[in-house]
Amino acid sequence: MSSDTKFTDLEGRIWDLRVTTGSYMAMHRELDVNIDDIFDNKQSWLNSIIVGDNMPLLLNIITIILRKQTKEEGVSDQELWDAMDGDTVSAATEALVKGIVSFLPTHKRRGVELMTEQALVGMEMIGSRLEIEAKKIEESSRAKIQKAMDIFFFF
């Protein structure tokens, strides 16, 4: 088992999101997700889960891959989901992407790695831009509040 495909939930349980042929077939059968569809369009299912646009799909894929492990541990789907917060979901997403990449044939891996890197860089750029805008709003608000307080306390 690869540690790159593992994450820890809020209860301290370690889960492995390594994709196997069995979990691949279950994803395909239950969710109509085909790992090869990654390259079919710009809005691929993988991009949508990396950037957080399709949380239900992400959680369903995680649940399918972990089905055998959760059964062995006596953990229900709801208990698994209840033990995942935003940081846990982020760690699980990263582990899932690594699990998917390692499942792919070697000749397709680099393309998926590049695609996921681009998606993550894009998300970082958006986050940085939002931080800059939030600081501008905070500074502007602070100045307006100070001005209002100066006027209020002047009288």
Side-chain angles (χ1 to χ4, degrees), residues 16-27:
D16 190 349
L17 288 170
R18 182 173 41 111
V19 177
T20 64
T21 304
S23 57
Y24 165 79
M25 290 303 294
M27 288 168 44

Side-chain angles (χ1 to χ4, degrees), residues 57-94:
L57 179 60
L58 171 65
L59 293 175
N60 280 317
I61 289 172
I62 290 170
T63 302
I64 287 170
I65 294 171
L66 295 181
R67 187 173 287 149
K68 183 177 178 183
Q69 295 170 62
T70 55
K71 185 176 181 179
E72 289 171 356
E73 295 291 324
V75 176
S76 71
D77 293 352
Q78 188 64 49
E79 290 170 325
L80 175 66
W81 299 331
D82 288 343
M84 297 176 72
D85 63 1
D87 290 338
T88 309
V89 170
S90 292
T93 302
E94 187 175 324

Side-chain angles (χ1 to χ4, degrees), residues 21-75:
T21 304
S23 57
Y24 165 79
M25 290 303 294
M27 288 168 44
H28 184 65
R29 182 178 55 253
E30 297 174 33
L31 303 173
D32 198 30
V33 168
N34 185 343
I35 289 179
D36 291 332
D37 287 344
I38 291 170
F39 301 106
D40 283 354
N41 59 55
K42 290 181 181 178
Q43 294 301 320
S44 76
W45 64 270
L46 183 57
N47 268 342
S48 73
I49 63 173
I50 290 171
V51 299
D53 284 348
N54 197 337
M55 188 67 67
L57 179 60
L58 171 65
L59 293 175
N60 280 317
I61 289 172
I62 290 170
T63 302
I64 287 170
I65 294 171
L66 295 181
R67 187 173 287 149
K68 183 177 178 183
Q69 295 170 62
T70 55
K71 185 176 181 179
E72 289 171 356
E73 295 291 324
V75 176

Side-chain angles (χ1 to χ4, degrees), residues 1-8 13-19 62 65-67 69 95-96 99:
M1 281 200 239
S2 170
S3 61
D4 287 350
T5 59
K6 293 181 182 178
F7 75 97
T8 304
R13 296 175 294 228
I14 299 172
W15 304 104
D16 190 349
L17 288 170
R18 182 173 41 111
V19 177
I62 290 170
I65 294 171
L66 295 181
R67 187 173 287 149
Q69 295 170 62
L96 174 62

Side-chain angles (χ1 to χ4, degrees), residues 121-135:
V121 166
M123 293 301 295
E124 286 177 20
M125 290 173 60
I126 290 169
S128 296
R129 184 66 185 163
L130 288 174
E131 285 179 30
I132 291 168
E133 293 303 317
K135 285 180 183 179

